[in-house]
Amino acid sequence: MMGVEGRLQGMDTERNNSPRERPIYLDNHATTPCDPRVLAAMLPYFTEHFGNPHSRNHAYGWQAEEAVELAREQIAAIIGAEPREIVFTSGATESNNLAIKGVAGFYRDKRDHVITVATEHKCVLESCRFLERQGFAVTVLPVGPNGLIDLAELEATLTERTVLVSVMAANNEIGVLQPIAEIGALCRQRGIFFHTDAAQAVGKIPLDVRAMNIDLMSISGHKLYGPKGIGVLFVRRRPRVRLQAQLSGGEQERGMRAGTLATPLCVGLGEACRIAAAEMADEADRLRRLRDRLLTGITERLPAVTLNGDALRRLPGNLNLSFGFVEGEGLITGLTEIAVSSGSACTSASVEPSYVLRAIGVDAELAFASLRVGLGRFTTEHDIQAAADHIVATVNRLRQDSPLWAMHREGIDLTALSGR
Ligand SMILES: *Cc1c(COP(=O)(O)O)cnc(C)c1O
């Protein structure tokens, strides 16, 4: 029988696009490929079992509903929730919007303060900005040089007016894991709701909404080898969290999210969670070994490379590295054999250094010369060896052309020269 990798490559050859012609995929924080087992589970629900899961009058509806409810159980199981606490959405962006705007909107007559963190995903930060324009007070906590928040600082920020704290479980750029259980305990003591964006964490590290006192959790299908266009918001029932629906329409999802459920996508996310739960421990070990091999494969051969984010409290498949004495643009265009993300983000107006790297104190120039490497389920040992060789060769080549690198090698103190 062909393994999953073989099947993935098989799909490539059918499209006449051999994997060798494409760069090695190391951008699994941006998105993950849909696992072929997930695709297989979804397919019948596009065609044969096409019923509307909300149709109560016939077998087409019942069959679709049964599949959706199984998916709800599989998703609930991976985070220690109950199926009734799972609300399907279109993705983590919608889940984050619903959690933040929905909870703040529902309780606004009683409390009007929201706390989040500078390194959150844009959709969390923008949802909080939206609330600010509506008259809410918003605190954006800084992070330390390791990317983690200071719990004492969070505690000092909580007030009688605070309704919600939103802190992500794992960062999508630097992979750091925030102290979720500790934050949950602090919030629970004071009756403040705790939301966590766990798009990067679910299926990668163990999470338990009960043990960690999480009230709301966002999940994204395409970050854990499921389909794009589906996500979940976990909404706790005891103690009960209430929220304002953001879409007007039917009473689907217990009134929290109107619209006909996308049965195939729900099924896919359920299967993705089932697989991730079964394979998580072994897969995390495998990724950690490959990741550490990649890191040493680079740093043992290249000087002036720094690891961004806490070295230990991070996702098993994440590396974020800054390369001194190379120029960011040259770095990303030079790395033709691997697909990774750079430390810059294109806004409509310009190219900006990553705000996450800026928040941990990386200077703008070094932020541009940074790479986010995301290993995943289909990353092989061969991929890692090839990626390490390619990165080392590319950085060496770029540094050969760099006058700053030559001066550095001759022992000239560049910071003194630039007057910094
Ligand atoms: C990808 C991601 C999102 C957005 O998820 P979508 O399902 O693509 O909307 C939100 N937060 C984090 C941390 C992510 O990595």
Side-chain angles (χ1 to χ4, degrees), residues 29 91-93 96 121 123 168 170 172 197 199-200 220 222-223 230:
H29 300 305
T93 298
N96 287 337
H121 195 273
C123 61
M168 71 203 318
N172 48 302
D197 173 358
Q200 295 288 344
S220 171
H222 71 101
K223 303 293 175 71
I230 182 111

Side-chain angles (χ1 to χ4, degrees), residues 8 13 16 32-33 66 88 100 119 141-142 151 159 167-168 180 217-219 233 263 269 284 339 367 375 377 390:
L8 264 187
T13 12
N16 223 351
T32 57
E66 203 174 298
F88 284 107
I100 295 167
T119 51
L141 291 172
L151 282 167
T159 75
V167 180
M168 71 203 318
I180 293 306
M217 178 192 281
S218 302
I219 305 177
L233 182 64
T263 314
L269 181 48
L375 286 67
R377 184 175 290 166
H390 183 51

Side-chain angles (χ1 to χ4, degrees), residues 295 298-299 302-307 321-324 395 399:
L295 179 61
I298 294 168
T299 53
L302 279 182
V305 179
T306 48
L307 177 66
L321 299 172
S322 294
F323 298 85
V395 171
R399 283 178 178 172

